[in-house]
Amino acid sequence: MAAPTAAERSMNEVTDDTLNHVNKISHSTEPLSPDSGELLDFLVDFLDREVGSDLKSLKNVGDLLEKLRQENLALEEQVLTVSSSVPPKVAASLSAAEEARCSLEDLLQRERRTSHKLHQHLHGAQPWIDNLRQTFDQVENIERHVKYLRCLQHIEELSAVVQQCLMTTSVWEAIRAVDTMAALDNGLNQSGCSHLQNFLRETLHFWHKIIKDRLSSDFEKVLTQLHWPIISPPTQSLTPAPNSQEISSQLDLLVPQLLALQTSDDLIFQRSLGSGQGIPPTQVVSSATSRSQEPPLCLPIQIMLLPLSKRFRYHFYGNRQTNSLSKPEWYLTQVLLWMGNSSAFMEEKIQPILDRVGVPISARVELCRGLLSLVQEKVANDASRLLYDDVVFCHLVEEVLQFEKELRSNQSYPAALPGLLHLLLDNGVLQKWLIVEKKMAVEKMDAMLSAEGAWSSQYKDISDMDELKAPDCAETFMTLLQVITERYRGLPCPSAQLKFLALQRELVDDFRIRLTQVMKEESRCPLGARYCAILNAVNYISTILTDWGDNVFFLQLQQAAVSLGEESVQGLGAIEMGRLASLEGSLFEGLLALLDRLKGDMMGRLLEWTMREITEKAKPYCQDRWLSLPSQHDQSTMTLSSSACPMMLCVRDRLLNLHQVLSLSLFQLAWQGLAEKLDNFLYQEVILSNHFSDGGAAQLQFDMTRNLFPLFGHYCKRPENFFKHVKEAYIILGLNVGSALLLRNLLKQTVEETRDWATAGDPPPESALNELGVYCLAPCDVLILLNLKASLPGQ
């Protein structure tokens, strides 16, 4: 084997040095093996970069080797430098850590000594702390006693002030002192000093009663001089009372004083309600008001209500003849009379004083509110006793509704304040009302359907008022529904209103079923008056319900139903609720669909029977000899075909009869439907079933245009538009021979060749038919008609 050359030795050195250099750079813990694939790839890349493919550049290998050695030395120096600098830093860190440990131990020792001294100090000071705590408790207890005594002294001072003021007739100062007691009572509301509270309240109640009794007595005397209470309608006195000025000044003084006593009066009233004690006499009237979360009546009005309350309880409670459960109108009317009679007095005498004092209330409304509380108590008591007497219960509900109407309209009682209707929303009363309402409605439906004139219209002799021709039973039924609506319209609860709406929907469906049953009995003779009356009834109810669907009241109920959900109205599903929410439907949509279906079935049966009669009369006309009729030129005048007379008379009579017995909208549907059926019948049975000469075609056109169409011309301007098949058929049959031949050739060519007329440039056959006035018939139908024309060659 030959010895290696200098270049090869240089390459080996480069390889070894390079391997070492790579191992150092990569900081590998183990030197890379020359057999490793990654190292070989690195060496190949290194040689390609430094040497390249030029073999002559191998002379630079020595320089490259020297460069690598220098780099290796530089790296070794750096490693040595770092290795030499690390131990001093570590030593410094260890020294600092040792110092910190020593300092921490010193601090811990100092903390233990200090803590020990502190425990010793606290232990020695504990007796002092216990003595001071006991002293502080004694001081606090003494302070509480002092405050208690001061409060007690303040109460006694206020009591003495009130007593002194009453002795000197200084009522205003006495009232202010009582108000101070009331404020102090409110301040002690959360206190645990029950004996002090009781003493204060007893003192307050004592002086308040004395002041109130004195002012009430004086106020009642003044009211008596002013002839209060006003039981009968007031009369205008021409001469004023001699002491009217003095009475007015006393009234101006007493009313503000009573109003100033209002705070303590309300406080005592609330205390009496909370403790279950007896209610003060002047506030018996307003007890129902307070239970309904309304502000209590002002004290002057309470005093003015006392004589009226006594009269009310005297006459309408106990064993008096005027206390009759069957006569609620007696006490309701009486209260309305008192309100009306007292209105002028309250406006003229009391309201100006309230305005001067700055009290933002209406004297007239306050008096009405007090009287209304009497009625509320009476109605609530009577209603619970009448749940098992339907007749008297219904009478009570009617009277309550009438009272509410007069209260809001005649007495101008504010809508924000409750009247009597909320008493009818009690669960037991409301359910009884619904049951009785349904029972009475069903009984009335039975009576109205069995009445002698149930199927005749009460406006039949007045043409201007009888467009709907509604029978008496249908009109009575819708009036019944309207009355129910008016009864529950004012209820202050939408959910209760929706219950009545559900009842109305149930009644409408019940009435529809009854109409269907009667209709089935009359279906043997659909052209009779009763059958048409039933049809008018269905149409009338549908029309009224459609109008109700757009009514503001029912739109508000619709919104309430959407807000309350599916359970608010029985019979409404999720789909219907969705349509209601989007305002696409109405509350009566389902009922209207059922009524429209019934109306469509009845109208179809009516037209079917009418056409059956007409087709029977038209048999001779269908079998007429159209092929042998002479030409129009051979006749001096054209007359109606004799075979068509029975059919024409039948059509005329039926139209007149339907016009008389059906409503206007139904008759519009009837004659248009009859025209459509008659058009199809004549086209199929007369025209397509016969061949026509020129005379026959002319006669057919004359019969239609001069006789049949005018029968329908009474009800529209262009009746021929409803007989499109017949009209276009006699146009085709009436063409002259030349035009008919051209048209037939054109249509045959279309059928045989099936060319694309639009592409070829020639007009389609429909355009030629449109020029003749034919729009409805297809080209194949026209070709059939042309083949029925006898005058054409080849027929």
Side-chain angles (χ1 to χ4, degrees), residues 85-99:
S85 61
V86 168
K89 293 182 179 179
V90 172
S93 299
L94 292 175
S95 176
E98 183 64 23
E99 292 178 359

Side-chain angles (χ1 to χ4, degrees), residues 292-308:
S292 61
Q293 303 300 321
E294 293 182 35
L297 296 171
C298 64
L299 195 53
I301 303 299
Q302 293 180 26
I303 298 172
M304 296 179 70
L305 281 170
L306 283 176
L308 295 175

Side-chain angles (χ1 to χ4, degrees), residues 511-527:
F511 195 76
R512 177 190 64 82
I513 294 174
R514 293 168 184 260
L515 290 179
T516 305
Q517 293 172 347
V518 179
M519 179 271 294
K520 290 180 179 179
E521 297 175 359
E522 299 295 327
S523 60
R524 300 175 184 175
C525 183
L527 301 179

Side-chain angles (χ1 to χ4, degrees), residues 675-688:
E676 181 182 358
K677 290 181 176 295
L678 192 57
D679 178 46
N680 291 328
F681 170 76
L682 293 174
Y683 181 72
Q684 295 289 339
E685 303 298 329
V686 177
I687 297 175
L688 295 182

Side-chain angles (χ1 to χ4, degrees), residues 224-254:
T224 302
Q225 294 177 356
L226 293 174
H227 307 290
W228 179 265
I230 303 176
I231 307 302
S232 58
T235 56
Q236 186 68 29
S237 178
L238 298 178
T239 58
N243 58 342
S244 59
Q245 187 68 30
E246 180 183 355
I247 295 174
S248 297
S249 60
Q250 290 179 357
L251 190 66
D252 291 344
L253 178 64
L254 290 171

Side-chain angles (χ1 to χ4, degrees), residues 609-628:
W609 275 74
T610 304
M611 280 302 301
R612 187 179 300 177
E613 185 176 355
I614 292 174
T615 53
E616 185 66 27
K617 301 291 184 182
K619 285 183 179 179
Y621 191 66
C622 297
Q623 300 170 0
D624 210 344
R625 301 176 61 187
W626 300 99
L627 188 60
S628 60

Side-chain angles (χ1 to χ4, degrees), residues 552-746:
V552 175
F553 172 69
F554 288 104
L555 289 175
Q556 292 173 345
L557 279 186
Q558 178 175 334
Q559 186 62 35
V562 172
S563 301
L564 296 175
E566 298 179 20
E567 302 298 329
S568 58
V569 182
Q570 296 179 358
L572 290 181
I575 297 178
E576 290 184 84
M577 291 299 295
R579 290 179 57 81
L580 291 180
S582 60
L583 297 179
E584 294 180 4
S586 70
L587 291 169
F588 308 100
E589 186 175 14
L591 296 172
L592 289 173
L594 294 174
L595 291 170
D596 289 341
R597 183 186 304 173
L598 177 59
K599 181 170 66 175
D601 293 343
M602 294 186 68
M603 182 63 71
R605 187 177 287 108
L606 176 65
L607 295 178
E608 180 183 351
W609 275 74
T610 304
M611 280 302 301
R612 187 179 300 177
E613 185 176 355
I614 292 174
T615 53
E616 185 66 27
K617 301 291 184 182
K619 285 183 179 179
Y621 191 66
C622 297
Q623 300 170 0
D624 210 344
R625 301 176 61 187
W626 300 99
L627 188 60
S628 60
L629 290 178
S631 174
Q632 183 179 1
H633 300 291
D634 298 336
Q635 302 182 41
S636 59
T637 57
M638 296 286 291
T639 58
L640 175 65
S641 299
S642 58
S643 60
C645 290
M647 180 186 70
M648 297 295 179
L649 288 174
C650 183
V651 172
R652 183 200 65 180
D653 294 341
R654 284 298 144 219
L655 286 174
L656 288 175
N657 180 54
L658 293 176
H659 190 215
Q660 290 174 356
V661 298
L662 292 180
S663 66
L664 183 60
S665 59
L666 286 177
F667 179 68
Q668 286 288 111
L669 297 176
W671 75 256
Q672 291 177 10
L674 181 61
E676 181 182 358
K677 290 181 176 295
L678 192 57
D679 178 46
N680 291 328
F681 170 76
L682 293 174
Y683 181 72
Q684 295 289 339
E685 303 298 329
V686 177
I687 297 175
L688 295 182
S689 301
N690 293 282
H691 286 75
F692 293 84
S693 63
D694 291 342
Q699 183 63 47
L700 176 66
Q701 182 175 0
F702 181 82
D703 292 343
M704 298 296 105
T705 57
R706 301 296 296 275
N707 294 278
L708 180 63
F709 293 171
L711 293 178
F712 292 86
H714 295 288
Y715 316 114
C716 64
K717 293 182 179 179
R718 301 182 64 85
E720 63 274 10
N721 290 337
F722 296 92
F723 294 87
K724 294 181 180 179
H725 292 86
V726 173
K727 173 188 172 184
E728 295 180 3
Y730 68 63
I731 290 175
I732 297 299
L733 294 174
L735 291 175
N736 57 47
V737 177
S739 300
L741 286 173
L742 290 175
L743 181 59
R744 186 177 66 176
N745 292 336
L746 175 62

